[in-house]
Structures are given as C-alpha cells and as structure tokens.
Amino acid sequence: MVQAHIDPIDLLRRMQQESLQHTHGLPQEVEAAVLWSGVGFRLADMHLVSPLDQVAEVLPAPGITPVPGVKPWVKGVANIRGNLMTIIDLAQYFGKPPVFVDDMARIMVLGVAELHAAVLVNDVLGLRHFDEELERQDLSGINDPVLANLTGAFLHENVLWGVFDMKSLADSLTFRHVAA
C-alpha cells in the first residue's frame, strides 16, 4: 500500500496537539527568600554572626607572643603569613572569662583596612544563612556589653544569633587603646 503524501505542517500541528495533551504544565513561579549570610561564631554562651566582608580569614589559634604593658584582653602578637597581627581575646574584652585555647578556639582576622588585628573566639560555627524576613530587631531583652556592637539579630531554630559588627568594634576607641 502506498502512503499518501503527508503535509509536514499538518504533522507538526498534530505533534503539538498531542504534546499539549500530555504535558503536566509549567512549574509555578515561586519567589525565593532573600538570604543574609555571615560567619557564625560562639563567644562564651552567645551565638553571634558577622557579615562576610568583615572577616578576612578564620584560623586555628596560633602561637602568641605576649606583649608587656597592654590590657589583659590583648593576648599578644602572632605571625600570620608574614604579617605581625595583634590578637584580642574578644570574650575577655567584653568582661567574660578568657577564651580557653583548645582545639575549638579560633581567631577571626578582621576585614578592616589598615588594622592588623584578629579576635580570639571560643568556636567558629561556619557560614550561616538567614532569611532576611526573619530578622529580629528588638534586642531589649539582652543585657550584655556585646550589645553595643550588635546591629540586629536572627532567630533560627530557637537560637538567637546576634549580628556582630566587627567594623564598629575596630572603630571603638577602647578597642584601639590597648595600653595598660
């Protein structure tokens, strides 16, 4: 049997109709949440997070050389990749017990121009991402000296993460005045 000539346009129309009958439809357009990201860390019993651009590097606590005639929260200086860096015990700076230098302790190198300093913290908890809509601005329930450097907070899985501003810390005259 000889098949009659099939019109290509007609064939394409039939294929289109068949494919439209068997499609599941396009996925719904869903707006994704805007995420805020930062470096999470623990300071004594507080969970804090700093903006990514304010932390240049995170390292295990290095060997620190003490410096005489400075405030007790200045642990000393350390050689970090050939740069002499001042190491500040952030917990002790805020009047908390000093950071015990163990396997969990870390230094966070400040991402502040012309300031070669790092803060010693109890633990760095890695990158943290928060839905900006869940930001909680009311910090009135916190009675802690750290509050002066918090710009807000996020509540995530019943943990309050204070947004710690490293730049305001670096700009503070008490932070820059290290002589005893």
Side-chain angles (χ1 to χ4, degrees):
M1 175 182 233
V2 176
Q3 192 172 10
H5 184 267
I6 300 175
D7 180 28
I9 301 295
D10 189 40
L11 180 62
L12 286 173
R13 283 189 186 122
R14 280 194 318 209
M15 289 172 61
Q16 179 185 23
Q17 286 175 348
E18 285 180 22
S19 66
L20 288 174
Q21 289 172 353
H22 294 91
T23 61
H24 299 290
L26 295 174
Q28 290 182 343
E29 188 175 317
V30 178
E31 240 182 83
V34 177
L35 295 179
W36 183 94
S37 298
V39 179
F41 62 100
R42 191 173 53 79
L43 190 64
D45 59 346
M46 296 183 78
H47 286 82
L48 302 170
V49 61
S50 282
L52 291 174
D53 65 339
Q54 295 182 7
V55 179
E57 193 170 8
V58 174
L59 299 165
I64 300 171
T65 303
V67 176
V70 294
K71 297 201 173 153
W73 41 265
V74 178
K75 291 299 158 195
V77 293
N79 183 344
I80 308 292
R81 295 187 199 351
N83 293 314
L84 197 58
M85 191 144 321
T86 304
I87 309 297
I88 306 295
D89 185 323
L90 194 57
Q92 196 171 6
Y93 174 80
F94 286 114
K96 300 176 182 306
V99 172
F100 179 71
V101 179
D102 58 6
D103 290 343
M104 303 297 285
R106 296 286 184 264
I107 62 165
M108 298 171 63
V109 178
L110 301 183
V112 178
E114 300 178 20
L115 182 65
H116 295 284
V119 293
L120 180 65
V121 297
N122 298 91
D123 193 8
V124 170
L125 305 169
L127 285 178
R128 294 289 179 224
H129 309 283
F130 301 97
D131 183 342
E132 284 190 351
E133 291 183 13
L134 299 179
E135 183 174 6
R136 180 177 146 183
Q137 296 289 337
D138 180 22
L139 298 171
S140 59
I142 298 175
N143 184 17
D144 196 290
V146 175
L147 185 62
N149 294 96
L150 297 184
T151 59
F154 293 102
L155 187 60
H156 182 68
E157 296 179 359
N158 292 327
V159 176
L160 185 64
W161 293 82
V163 179
F164 190 85
D165 187 0
M166 293 284 188
K167 288 184 181 180
S168 73
L169 174 72
D171 291 341
S172 166
L173 292 177
T174 55
F175 184 79
R176 289 186 175 254
H177 184 76
V178 298

